[in-house]
Amino acid sequence: MKTSTLRNNWVLRILLPTVFWLAIWQIAATIVGQELLIPTPVAVLKRFCELVVTTDFWIAAGMSLLRIFVGAFLGGLLGIILAATTCRFSVVDMIVSPALRVIRAIPVASFIILVLLWIRKGAVPAVISGLMVMPVMWESVSVGIESVDRELLEMADCYDMGWLAKIRRIYMPSVKPNLIGGIRNCVGLAWKSGVAAEVLCLPKNAVGSQVYYSKIYLETPSLFAWTITVVILSLVLEKLIFLILRDRKAGDSLEN
């Protein structure tokens, strides 16, 4: 009973691990005794508060979010289109599928360096986010398309149902769970790969660039503060996507 109550108490679920890991952090900082290596939580919090009130902080955060969102959206959209195309045409599947699997297998750092040779550095984070998202979305949607009930498709053919009606009434309900799962997987992946691209290519006004400069100038509290910013923005993005998808699912349930 007590275990069940603890699991259902969201305050304790947030507060308990936070306090525990902050204590571990404080102990480690005390043992090391050098802020250059491990700053204390208080020092990092102080630096974070100093950054939050600056215009440069919000510009960097906003530009990073914009770059990564645009790249992830276009990559996800292209992944959906490729999924529909490869499932429809076997020849396209034989040609495109190996390339998408190779893209998924190549380390992000290698892709960043290659892309940096071909395009201007400001566009690299968006391109990298899109490349990382595309094969994940392609695979998720392809699985959904392949799981469509063939008997329903045969029945639709018997009633001369148009292709638009097939997509809306048969394919979309079958693909939706896989699409939602793919979006959830892609949010964190896009953000991490996009910030990693910023760290390597150093575009103007970017969170990743600030992480790199903090490391170069040995501003460890700033490095920790910007890293915490990356984590917070990632959690906020995932939460927003979760709320949007949940509300959308609830709306569809009411319509049905």
Side-chain angles (χ1 to χ4, degrees):
M1 187 69 178
K2 291 182 179 179
T3 303
S4 178
T5 303
L6 180 61
R7 290 177 178 174
N8 294 329
N9 192 326
W10 64 270
V11 176
L12 285 177
R13 291 178 62 185
I14 295 174
L15 189 60
L16 184 60
T18 302
V19 172
F20 175 81
W21 289 112
L22 284 176
I24 296 295
W25 181 0
Q26 179 63 52
I27 293 170
T30 303
I31 293 173
V32 173
Q34 295 186 25
E35 189 175 89
L36 182 62
L37 298 177
I38 303 181
T40 63
V42 174
V44 174
L45 178 61
K46 179 181 178 182
R47 182 56 183 153
F48 180 78
C49 293
E50 292 172 352
L51 290 173
V52 167
V53 297
T54 63
T55 304
D56 291 341
F57 175 89
W58 294 105
I59 291 175
M63 291 300 296
S64 292
L65 287 170
L66 179 62
R67 292 187 189 99
I68 294 169
F69 174 79
V70 170
F73 175 79
L74 294 177
L77 182 61
L78 182 57
I80 294 171
I81 294 172
L82 287 175
T85 306
T86 54
C87 288
R88 178 64 178 85
F89 303 103
S90 58
V91 175
V92 177
D93 182 50
M94 287 188 293
I95 296 172
V96 174
S97 296
L100 291 172
R101 293 190 175 94
V102 168
I103 290 174
R104 189 168 184 175
I106 293 177
V108 178
S110 299
F111 252 130
I112 295 171
I113 295 171
L114 287 172
V115 173
L116 187 57
L117 295 174
W118 301 329
I119 63 176
R120 60 185 181 86
K121 63 181 182 180
V124 172
V127 173
I128 293 299
S129 298
L131 282 173
M132 295 299 104
V133 164
M134 181 176 61
V136 176
M137 189 62 70
W138 163 78
E139 185 173 3
S140 297
V141 176
S142 295
V143 171
I145 294 175
E146 294 295 337
S147 66
V148 172
D149 191 340
R150 300 302 166 187
E151 293 183 358
L152 287 177
L153 293 175
E154 293 175 2
M155 184 175 65
D157 291 334
C158 291
Y159 287 95
D160 292 327
M161 183 181 291
W163 64 273
L164 282 175
K166 286 182 182 179
I167 293 174
R168 185 167 62 88
R169 296 181 179 275
I170 299 176
Y171 281 101
M172 288 185 65
S174 297
V175 172
K176 184 179 291 185
N178 300 81
L179 178 63
I180 292 175
I183 292 173
R184 288 178 175 173
N185 291 331
C186 288
V187 172
L189 177 62
W191 179 245
K192 287 185 290 186
S193 59
V195 172
E198 291 179 344
V199 171
L200 289 180
C201 69
L202 304 178
K204 186 178 179 181
N205 298 322
V207 173
S209 300
Q210 296 301 323
V211 171
Y212 178 81
Y213 293 138
S214 298
K215 177 254 185 184
I216 287 295
Y217 297 121
L218 301 178
E219 298 176 354
T220 311
S222 295
L223 176 60
F224 274 66
W226 281 108
T227 304
I228 289 173
T229 300
V230 172
V231 175
I232 291 174
L233 290 176
S234 178
L235 292 175
V236 169
L237 279 176
E238 291 181 6
K239 187 64 175 178
L240 285 175
I241 294 297
F242 173 78
L243 291 175
I244 292 171
L245 294 176
R246 187 182 66 177
D247 292 343
R248 178 63 180 173
K249 186 175 180 180
D252 292 341
S253 299
L254 290 175
E255 290 178 2
N256 294 332

